[in-house]
Amino acid sequence: MLRIDNLHVRAGEKEILTGVTLHVAPGEVHAIMGPNGSGKSTLVQVLAGREGYEVTAGSVTYQGRDLLALAPEERAREGVFLAFQYPVEIPGVNNAYLLKAALNAIRKHRGEPEVDAFEFLALVREKMKLMQMDESFLSRGVNEGFSGGEKKRNEILQMAVLEPTLALLDETDSGLDIDALRVVANGVNSLRRPDRAIVMVTHYQRLLDYIEPDKVHVLAGGRIAKTGDKSLALELEKRGYDWIKQEAA
Amino acid sequence: MSVAPALQANATLERYRTLFEERFTSGPLLEARRDALDAFLKRGFPTQRDEQWKYTSLRRLEARTFVLGEAAPVSLEPARRPWITHGGGFRLVFVNGHWAPALSSPMAQPPGVTLVTLGEWVKHEPDAVLEYLAQASHRSASALEQLNAAFFEDGLVIRLSPNARVDDPIHVVHVWTSTTRPAMAHPRVLVRAGHHSSCTLIEQYVCCGEPESFTNVVAILDLEEGAQVQHYRLQQESPKAFHIGHIDVCVRRDARYGIHDFSLGATLSRLNIRVRLQEPGAHTDLHGLLPPSGTQHLDTHTLIEHIAPHTTSTENYRGIADGRGRGVFNGKVLVHPGAQKTDAHQSSRNLLLSPTAEFNAKPELEIYADDVKCSHGATIGQLDATALFYLRSRGISEADARVLLIHAFAHAVLASVETPAVREHLEALLAARFGSTQVTS
Ligand SMILES: Nc1ncnc2c1ncn2[C@@H]1O[C@H](COP(=O)(O)OP(=O)(O)OP(=O)(O)O)[C@@H](O)[C@H]1O
Ligand SMILES: [Mg+2]
């Protein structure tokens, strides 16, 4: 589904990624861990099409296509979804409006009929229930005045409505209380299907108790320094990152 | 050597004298008009050497010759008229500066309100008008206001009786029709809101076609104790128009004056708003949207004077400059000595949509009291790249995302428009200007 090969990324003068290779097959869940500033957000943002980063070498193919050649909106319509580490507040753009516009943009691209107001509301109500979100969030500006945890929930609500093929979750678990973590994990798990894949960036082993990963990677020194299974996360919890940095050096 | 340009300038101004002598030959106001004309001619149009006009040049206006606007029919069928036609209320239409009874609501007055056109007032109560003019000249003494006092012909006098609550808006429309020669009008709008009265005033400046016009309007409002006036001002004049407006408001004890200034049209627009918070408890809210595009120059200067203690004001202006458009916002808050417990907040946020667009935003605080709470902030920037990316990452096209963000930015001013007909009208205008999204909502 997703093949990242030898990806080099630079922002201005700074080399952030220096040869990331990562292959994700349909149905898989991958966790990416790593020290602060190691480039985890950079990686997922580049996958989603964020401007301001220069890819100096390497390639990314998604479902057999050159992902980097697509505009961000084209990637979204092709089923790529990024849950932001820091969801953006957009006062004046209605939350429900954005959700519906996004859903219809994707449906239109797939050649499916757009949903009308009635169908949309039914769908969103169902997903909001899943996310245990109050319907009043729909009428507010996008993330406007949302608490940190509410913003994260809203990201997963969007994901649940848009049903992406490749979901990139950037620290969706950070800032969530214990109950919210369970709710968000539920939302993510409900998306799991053999034809979909999930890449989630996290700092905490705890999330992986709820969402069982197939693989755990450590991003350090600009590349994937180590790959393992769930037990790697447990080991990191105990030992920190220094030993990996030393191993990689 | 230095005499020559002055003489030349005088020659330009002399055209106004000639025009005056042709038009005004008798009548009870002649002397007052002539005094005003002399005051104007002596000072001439303000120049950029004047601090208040630093960013706005009137040279293009000065170079043009205007005749006085003449009454004319509006041939457009009702559905295509450029003003707000639904939403009820009481409407008065002025065409090329002259009252057009055929287009206005019948003169049956809503209860508690006396509406008189200025033309009628001059005819029936010239002494009262003279007295008013003498008073007004203290308040509106700038050269351009003197020009208005010399040439004014029509306009509107609104009197609200004490305790009168007028629910339906009073809608004043100034429309220019296509004229063969550039034409000007100097209307006046006078509002006296008796104690504890309230009303909504919608003022619209519109056009049919693209006339070359010059509007120089003076509005004077007095709010007695506890009165509330909500003022919506929509300037939608022709791309060839010059629009100058002066608003002078005096707010008494516990009264509230709110204005939404939508300066959208004209090639050059300058609005001066001065609000005096004269007695304790007086409050004012100023909202404005200035979206210069093409080669438009849109300028609003506001002055809020906190004269009495315990007076409050908020100000929220937004600019969206596109193309080679230029916007100017100057917001001055003056806290007089003794105006303790003043609470004044001002915000001016501005968006540049093109590299050739410009915005000059300047807050000015002048405080002569020590126990006050004042804040101001002015920002100028481009569309937020992170927000753009966020929307695009949800499948929204770049063009649609830009449109959404621009509307969201303007929404901060639109959101506080309480009259639905006004808000819908503005939404349609802004959609026409900035585009609407392809996404179905
Ligand atoms: N546009 C940019 N310009 C310059 N430096 C950047 C840019 N974007 C990211 N960086 C730098 O690249 C490094 C990686 O940042 P990134 O946000 O990807 O880290 P991260 O692994 O997600 O960290 P965290 O765990 O703290 O979220 C950091 O040092 C950051 O300051
Ligand atoms: Mg990060």
Side-chain angles (χ1 to χ4, degrees):
Chain A
M1 160 153 323
L2 177 71
R3 298 181 66 90
I4 305 171
D5 285 303
N6 190 33
L7 186 68
H8 286 62
V9 172
R10 202 162 67 181
E13 289 302 293
K14 190 176 163 75
E15 294 262 323
I16 303 173
L17 301 180
T18 56
V20 171
T21 296
L22 180 68
H23 296 171
V24 181
E28 287 184 345
V29 174
H30 288 227
I32 298 180
M33 306 185 77
N36 290 132
S38 60
K40 303 180 296 298
S41 292
T42 300
L43 175 62
V44 289
Q45 298 232 30
V46 165
L47 294 179
R50 172 86 208 218
E51 280 164 21
Y53 294 103
E54 194 192 343
V55 174
T56 52
S59 65
V60 180
T61 58
Y62 166 70
Q63 295 184 319
R65 296 181 63 182
D66 178 5
L67 186 67
L68 301 179
L70 301 179
E73 56 270 33
E74 293 170 324
R75 300 182 198 198
R77 293 171 194 169
E78 290 286 341
V80 177
F81 179 91
L82 170 63
F84 281 55
Q85 180 174 1
Y86 304 109
V88 187
E89 294 200 24
I90 314 181
V93 176
N94 180 271
N95 210 22
Y97 179 91
L98 169 61
L99 253 182
K100 187 160 172 235
L103 179 63
N104 279 336
I106 291 166
R107 291 180 66 94
K108 208 166 144 189
H109 178 74
R110 291 194 197 132
E112 293 167 7
E114 298 188 359
V115 293
D116 61 29
F118 188 76
E119 295 165 309
F120 173 72
L121 207 62
L123 175 68
V124 170
R125 284 213 171 112
E126 176 203 323
K127 303 294 186 188
M128 289 193 99
K129 217 184 219 164
L130 175 72
M131 295 313 298
Q132 299 186 11
M133 275 174 86
D134 193 90
E135 272 180 41
S136 64
F137 284 105
L138 280 180
S139 55
R140 288 166 66 174
V142 173
N143 292 317
E144 187 183 0
F146 287 22
S147 76
E150 287 165 352
K151 283 180 185 165
K152 298 298 176 84
R153 258 189 227 219
N154 198 38
E155 294 290 282
I156 300 305
L157 171 71
Q158 292 179 4
M159 186 188 79
V161 170
L162 301 179
E163 302 194 313
T165 310
L166 173 64
L168 310 165
L169 312 181
D170 193 355
E171 292 200 29
T172 301
D173 54 331
S174 297
L176 291 181
D177 67 44
I178 296 158
D179 294 331
L181 182 66
R182 204 173 296 126
V183 169
V184 162
N186 251 335
V188 175
N189 282 326
S190 71
L191 191 79
R192 287 182 80 161
R193 262 182 20 190
D195 57 345
R196 294 180 182 148
I198 297 168
V199 174
M200 50 192 197
V201 173
T202 182
H203 284 296
Y204 307 106
Q205 189 275 330
R206 202 182 51 191
L207 176 71
L208 309 182
D209 288 341
Y210 295 102
I211 309 170
E212 190 98 2
D214 297 289
K215 285 192 178 136
V216 176
H217 310 275
V218 177
L219 185 64
R223 56 181 75 199
I224 302 291
K226 197 164 185 73
T227 295
D229 58 15
K230 208 185 143 197
S231 64
L232 175 59
L234 282 166
E235 194 173 354
L236 292 170
E237 191 98 328
K238 283 198 211 91
R239 297 176 60 193
Y241 289 113
D242 277 351
W243 62 282
I244 290 183
K245 286 184 195 161
Q246 277 156 21
E247 243 178 46
Chain B
M1 280 293 279
S2 64
V3 181
L7 276 177
Q8 204 175 358
N10 282 343
T12 313
L13 292 178
E14 279 309 316
R15 290 202 301 263
Y16 283 89
R17 188 188 292 285
T18 309
L19 195 63
F20 183 91
E21 301 298 351
E22 279 169 22
R23 185 76 164 218
F24 304 107
T25 50
S26 61
L29 303 185
L30 188 60
E31 206 178 321
R33 286 184 187 281
R34 189 162 278 139
D35 287 348
L37 179 73
D38 288 340
F40 165 69
L41 292 177
K42 209 163 122 193
R43 293 154 73 180
F45 285 96
T47 70
Q48 287 182 276
R49 282 192 300 272
D50 180 341
E51 186 62 29
Q52 294 296 306
W53 292 83
K54 195 169 153 189
Y55 296 110
T56 299
S57 164
L58 292 182
R59 290 238 292 275
R60 280 192 298 145
L61 169 67
E62 206 174 332
R64 274 204 180 46
T65 307
F66 298 94
V67 298
L68 280 160
E70 300 285 352
V74 169
S75 50
L76 289 179
E77 54 189 280
R80 301 193 43 228
R81 290 176 183 160
W83 56 86
I84 301 168
T85 48
H86 62 295
F90 198 83
R91 181 175 310 119
L92 289 121
V93 181
F94 295 82
V95 179
N96 303 338
H98 299 274
W99 182 46
L103 294 168
S104 304
S105 310
M107 264 303 186
Q109 317 262 319
V113 190
T114 315
L115 294 166
V116 188
T117 66
L118 202 50
E120 293 288 308
W121 197 33
V122 171
K123 213 184 287 171
H124 298 298
E125 296 180 88
D127 291 341
V129 178
L130 273 175
E131 196 187 312
Y132 149 75
L133 279 178
Q135 274 174 17
S137 70
H138 297 297
R139 279 167 76 165
S140 49
S142 73
L144 287 160
E145 286 163 296
Q146 296 291 353
L147 179 63
N148 173 291
F151 282 97
F152 81 88
E153 290 181 285
D154 217 337
L156 184 63
V157 182
I158 303 171
R159 291 201 194 91
L160 300 181
S161 319
N163 299 307
R165 307 216 159 249
V166 185
D167 293 330
D168 289 332
I170 299 167
H171 184 192
V172 187
V173 179
H174 299 267
V175 56
W176 282 105
T177 60
S178 290
T179 47
T180 44
R181 292 158 71 189
M184 65 177 178
H186 302 267
R188 286 206 160 214
V189 177
L190 308 174
V191 178
R192 170 147 286 160
H195 71 81
H196 301 98
S197 63
S198 69
C199 77
T200 296
L201 173 65
I202 305 169
E203 257 193 301
Q204 243 185 321
Y205 296 85
V206 291
C207 58
C208 302
E210 292 194 355
E212 275 192 65
S213 55
F214 169 28
T215 302
N216 177 39
V217 55
V218 172
I220 295 183
L221 298 87
D222 284 287
L223 280 66
E224 298 298 332
E225 179 175 343
Q228 299 198 11
V229 173
Q230 187 53 249
H231 188 177
Y232 297 108
R233 190 182 199 277
L234 284 65
Q235 189 274 99
Q236 307 158 240
E237 292 206 18
S238 131
K240 294 183 185 147
F242 295 86
H243 183 97
I244 309 250
H246 314 265
I247 300 176
D248 189 294
V249 192
C250 179
V251 189
R252 303 277 171 187
R253 183 178 294 271
D254 297 333
R256 298 174 73 93
Y257 172 73
I259 182 168
H260 282 73
D261 155 25
F262 292 96
S263 290
L264 311 176
T267 177
L268 189 157
S269 157
R270 166 67 179 257
L271 180 62
N272 297 315
I273 302 175
R274 175 184 177 200
V275 183
R276 285 181 295 153
L277 302 171
Q278 195 72 43
E279 292 177 358
H283 175 80
T284 190
D285 285 308
L286 276 57
H287 300 268
L289 182 66
L290 306 177
S293 66
T295 55
Q296 274 187 305
H297 183 107
L298 305 178
D299 172 354
T300 290
H301 270 57
T302 66
L303 168 61
I304 301 173
E305 291 191 55
H306 290 263
I307 297 167
H310 295 282
T311 50
T312 52
S313 66
T314 63
E315 187 162 17
N316 176 23
Y317 259 80
R318 296 216 163 184
I320 304 175
D322 200 359
R324 303 176 57 80
R326 180 147 188 205
V328 179
F329 170 72
N330 188 289
K332 182 168 175 176
V333 173
L334 175 57
V335 181
H336 287 240
Q340 305 296 4
K341 305 289 179 193
T342 282
D343 197 310
H345 299 283
Q346 184 190 88
S347 138
S348 157
R349 290 185 55 194
N350 305 287
L351 201 53
L352 298 178
L353 297 181
S354 94
T356 46
E358 256 186 83
F359 218 104
N360 296 96
K362 188 172 158 213
E364 266 185 88
L365 278 177
E366 223 176 290
I367 303 175
Y368 299 104
D370 48 20
D371 185 11
V372 300
K373 247 197 271 175
C374 295
S375 70
H376 64 78
T379 61
I380 294 179
Q382 282 147 20
L383 281 180
D384 179 3
T386 315
L388 261 180
F389 174 58
Y390 188 80
L391 293 173
R392 294 178 73 189
S393 79
R394 287 349 182 202
I396 314 284
S397 73
E398 183 176 12
D400 282 350
R402 287 179 66 87
V403 168
L404 273 178
L405 291 180
I406 294 167
H407 283 286
F409 187 81
H411 178 81
V413 179
L414 237 55
S416 53
V417 171
E418 279 171 19
T419 305
V422 174
R423 194 167 55 231
E424 283 156 24
H425 187 78
L426 283 164
E427 275 165 1
L429 288 176
L430 295 182
R433 177 170 294 224
F434 297 118
S436 48
T437 54
Q438 297 301 305
V439 299
T440 43
S441 57

